[in-house]
Amino acid sequence: MLLVATAVAVGARGLDGDQPSARVTAKAKAKKSPQLLDRPPPPAEIRGIHVTMALASIPGKLEEYTSTLGLNTVELDVKDENGEVGFHTLAPPLARQIGAAMRYYDPTKTAKALHDQGIYLIGRVVCFEDPILSEKRPELAIQTTGGDVWRNHAGLGWTNPYDKRVWDYNLAVAKAAVRAGFDEIQFDYVRFPSDGDIDSAVFPGRRREAMSATIARFVHYATNRLRPLGARVSVDVFGLSATRNLGIGQSPRRLARIVDAIYPMVYPSHYGSGEYGLSDPSAVPGRTVGRSLRDFRRQMRGGRAKLIPWLEDFTLGGTTTIEKVEEQIAATRRWTSAGFLLWNPSGIYTTGALTAR
């Protein structure tokens, strides 16, 4: 159905309105155009959680999440930072060839089950950190000066952001999720690497342009090919990317003119002492989130994207409390009305967080 709808959209742009046959064809095709609008709009206020593909594979786990009071959105891994694709059915041929296509869940059945419960479904596609593709297809990887696959401090290979073949692979994964019924594609790790021996990294085909221009070109390329399928497109960015240039190619100002939403990761525990004039940002989560979002509002002014932050519902040393989560949510509502997502890599979320007022 979506392929037909795409063909309609492409064909309609080439019609000559002066030809009677073209008018008839356009009228006939116009009746089919609502197929592109079948996807539900995002909730007025997104209240969602992150779910890994491994968690989605546990029988009854998604149902457990969707019974949570206040939940209206699930962000589910489609392709993660390990390079794995969560499903084998519908996965692109290359994903199957390199062993990246897994069988954690059936994307079509999962999308339908969540939609039947009124859940808005976002698919997370990790882009350039990809240990599997970089290992199996080293010509697509960032390389070392010696010609080997470059790896970060964790030993993970990255693919080359300048290589259009890498763009097309990630786009193919995203399209598979959209055709299965996902409402939105959220690109993560849509940046250059931030750790490792960066000075030894070699980027074949490197262009003489700002890193932020390269990332924006990829996002624009992908967005223009996903929107005709009816999907919304968004990106994850670092929480400090609106405060200063981090040297990884993330420019909220550029991206806000392209995508439907930007999701900054404003986790208070990730800010160092003295950031925003706060001696301990993690001790005052509401203030930390608010000051980060203030900078995003300034950078995104004039763009089309909504601002929807990732909030911290995990711990790096202390105990997560409902009060700390509520402080972050309150700050979010002061600076944006589009909602929030909660992140916890273990999938354990604070009871009552999504109904906080």
Side-chain angles (χ1 to χ4, degrees):
M1 178 179 70
L2 289 170
L3 288 173
V4 172
T6 305
V8 170
V10 173
R13 285 195 291 270
L15 291 175
D16 182 349
D18 293 332
Q19 297 179 7
S21 59
R23 289 197 298 270
V24 173
T25 303
K27 183 177 180 180
K29 290 185 176 182
K31 295 179 181 180
K32 297 183 180 181
S33 61
Q35 292 177 7
L36 296 178
L37 306 176
D38 285 343
R39 299 176 193 278
E45 180 188 64
I46 282 180
R47 297 186 301 276
I49 59 172
H50 164 68
V51 179
T52 67
M53 55 184 71
L55 285 169
S57 71
I58 301 173
K61 194 64 178 178
L62 282 174
E63 290 77 6
E64 177 186 324
Y65 284 133
T66 55
S67 65
T68 302
L69 289 177
L71 182 76
N72 59 26
T73 302
V74 165
E75 189 254 23
L76 176 60
D77 278 344
V78 169
K79 176 172 173 275
D80 67 10
E81 48 271 81
N82 297 315
E84 293 184 344
V85 175
F87 46 84
H88 194 274
T89 304
L90 300 184
L94 180 55
R96 296 195 293 270
Q97 291 167 14
I98 64 176
M102 304 299 171
R103 300 181 186 274
Y104 287 106
Y105 61 87
D106 182 304
T108 305
K109 291 180 179 178
T110 298
K112 184 180 186 306
L114 291 174
H115 287 156
D116 287 346
Q117 298 176 72
I119 300 296
Y120 182 71
L121 181 57
I122 302 172
R124 175 177 177 248
V125 176
V126 170
C127 294
F128 299 119
E129 180 178 286
D130 193 329
I132 296 178
L133 184 62
S134 60
E135 182 69 27
K136 300 295 184 179
R137 294 286 301 274
E139 73 276 15
L140 303 181
I142 300 174
Q143 299 172 6
T144 67
T145 52
D148 296 324
V149 173
W150 181 91
R151 293 177 173 83
N152 64 10
H153 284 322
L156 301 175
W158 278 64
T159 52
N160 184 2
Y162 294 101
D163 197 318
K164 187 174 175 292
R165 294 170 295 179
V166 175
W167 294 13
D168 286 334
Y169 174 62
N170 286 290
L171 178 59
V173 173
K175 283 183 174 180
V178 172
R179 290 179 177 125
F182 283 66
D183 304 305
E184 178 178 321
I185 295 298
Q186 184 183 95
F187 290 116
D188 198 2
Y189 287 75
V190 59
R191 58 178 175 83
F192 286 78
S194 59
D195 69 282
D197 185 4
I198 304 295
D199 291 338
S200 71
V202 174
F203 301 86
R206 185 170 188 165
R207 294 171 58 132
R208 299 186 67 178
E209 63 184 6
M211 287 182 176
S212 60
T214 304
I215 297 303
R217 282 195 303 109
F218 162 70
V219 173
H220 189 269
Y221 178 84
T223 299
N224 280 351
R225 286 155 179 79
L226 290 170
R227 282 208 183 111
L229 300 180
R232 295 170 188 84
V233 183
S234 57
V235 292
D236 291 331
V237 297
F238 281 166
L240 279 171
S241 62
T243 303
R244 56 178 174 270
N245 184 353
L246 301 176
I248 56 174
Q250 290 184 341
S251 168
R253 186 184 300 278
R254 285 180 184 266
L255 296 171
R257 295 184 173 93
I258 303 170
V259 297
D260 298 291
I262 290 179
Y263 295 80
M265 298 173 282
V266 293
Y267 311 134
S269 64
H270 284 39
Y271 294 85
S273 177
E275 197 67 61
Y276 302 123
L278 304 171
S279 60
D280 184 2
S282 64
V284 283
R287 200 175 304 173
T288 302
V289 167
R291 294 185 182 183
S292 181
L293 294 180
R294 172 199 62 193
D295 289 353
F296 274 94
R297 285 284 296 272
R298 291 171 178 168
Q299 289 291 323
M300 293 169 59
R301 188 175 295 126
R304 61 174 292 159
K306 292 183 178 181
L307 176 60
I308 308 172
W310 279 105
L311 303 181
E312 179 177 310
D313 194 7
F314 58 89
T315 176
L316 290 181
T319 302
T320 302
T321 63
I322 183 64
E323 290 77 19
K324 288 184 177 180
V325 179
E326 286 177 337
E327 282 186 45
Q328 296 175 72
I329 293 173
T332 296
R333 288 173 172 155
R334 283 194 297 271
W335 285 99
T336 176
S337 60
F340 58 90
L341 293 174
L342 300 180
W343 179 274
N344 186 319
S346 66
I348 302 172
Y349 294 96
T350 302
T351 302
L354 293 170
T355 55
R357 291 298 174 195

